[in-house]
């Protein structure tokens, strides 16, 4: 089971967002039979089997084990991931795209950047997994409490200058075999109770 998977197909996204199927995916963090899941979430076994087949067809659940009970075979199913993120690619041409927003200081631009990260990294990670490779990434996440708007502006200026200097130092357009990496730095007010 993956820790997280990115859903790109529109039909799979629609299934994962269905309330009943969401409950099934959450219940399948451990292998379980349709009968066990039905009892746990209060549906009939037949209804659970119907939903499980749809989830399996879209690779959101998979068989974990088969057991023989007399003349019957009981399949234990498990979710393919502990959690899921829906890629904006699932929305096709209406998916968020920072290229359609010129205001780089707006919240909508920041959300579109985050959506692009989900789409691009999801694609790259899927390809890396198919090739049994790791994907080189870097994530920095912290919370900074500024004393004043003046300090926040000064920090923004310092950060911009440092990132620009680092990019200029390490960027080599002509490096043979070099691979470009996208760097996104974002800042927004932390929600109440947010921790670094």
């Amino acid at each position: 089971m993956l820790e997280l998977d990115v859903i790109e197909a529109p039909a799979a996204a629609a299934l994962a967002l269905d309330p009943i199927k969401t409950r099934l995916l959450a219940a399948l963090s451990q292998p379980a039979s349709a009968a066990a899941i039905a009892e746990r979430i209060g549906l009939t076994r037949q209804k659970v089997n119907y939903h499980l087949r749809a989830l399996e067809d879209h690779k959101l659940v998979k068989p974990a084990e088969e057991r023989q009970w007399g003349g019957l075979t009981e399949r234990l199913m498990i979710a393919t991931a502990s959690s899921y993120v829906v890629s904006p690619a699932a929305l096709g041409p209406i998916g968020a795209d920072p290229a359609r927003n010129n205001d780089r200081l707006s919240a909508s631009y920041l959300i579109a950047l985050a959506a692009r990260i989900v789409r691009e990294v999801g694609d790259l990670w899927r390809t890396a997994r198919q090739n049994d490779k790791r994907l080189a990434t870097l994530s920095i996440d912290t919370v900074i409490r500024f004393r004043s708007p003046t300090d926040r502006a000064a920090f923004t200026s310092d950060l911009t200058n440092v990132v620009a200097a680092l990019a200029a130092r390490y960027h080599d357009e002509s490096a043979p075999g070099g691979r470009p990496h996208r760097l996104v730095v974002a800042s927004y007010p932390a929600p109440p109770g947010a921790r670094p």
Side-chain angles (χ1 to χ4, degrees):
M1 174 188 282
L2 296 171
E3 187 175 314
L4 178 139
D5 200 7
V6 179
I7 300 172
E8 189 173 89
L15 285 176
L17 294 171
D18 174 82
I20 291 173
K21 291 175 182 69
T22 298
R23 288 172 51 205
L24 288 173
L25 287 171
L28 287 169
S29 60
Q30 299 293 322
S33 68
I37 295 297
E39 186 176 317
R40 194 177 319 160
I41 67 172
L43 292 174
T44 66
R45 184 180 49 78
Q46 292 80 4
K47 201 156 219 34
V48 168
N49 271 323
Y50 167 80
H51 291 294
L52 287 177
R53 277 192 296 281
L55 290 168
E56 185 177 12
D57 288 347
H58 289 87
K59 298 179 176 37
L60 296 171
V61 300
K62 63 183 180 182
E65 181 184 338
E66 287 190 358
R67 295 180 184 163
Q68 296 296 322
W69 295 94
L72 299 174
T73 301
E74 179 183 56
R75 291 187 341 146
L76 300 178
M77 303 298 285
I78 190 166
T80 55
S82 296
S83 59
Y84 299 90
V85 173
V86 176
S87 170
L91 296 172
I94 63 165
D97 182 356
R100 291 196 297 258
N101 188 325
N102 293 326
D103 184 359
R104 292 181 175 240
L105 299 178
S106 70
S108 61
Y109 184 79
L110 175 57
I111 292 167
L113 276 179
R116 183 178 68 192
I117 291 170
V118 169
R119 185 179 66 248
E120 290 178 348
V121 176
D123 289 344
L124 291 167
W125 189 39
R126 186 175 357 310
T127 301
R129 289 191 328 255
Q130 289 168 351
N131 295 319
D132 201 25
K133 304 255 183 192
R134 290 182 54 90
L135 179 62
T137 63
L138 165 69
S139 303
I140 299 171
D141 181 18
T142 191
V143 174
I144 302 170
R145 185 179 182 109
F146 297 106
R147 281 186 295 270
S148 67
T150 302
D151 281 359
R152 185 182 68 235
F155 174 83
T156 301
S157 176
D158 289 348
L159 181 62
T160 301
N161 293 334
V162 167
V163 169
L166 284 171
R169 182 183 324 155
Y170 290 100
H171 179 71
D172 186 347
E173 192 66 43
S174 63
R179 183 167 183 200
H181 280 69
R182 187 182 301 279
L183 174 67
V184 175
V185 178
S187 176
Y188 55 92
R195 298 176 193 209

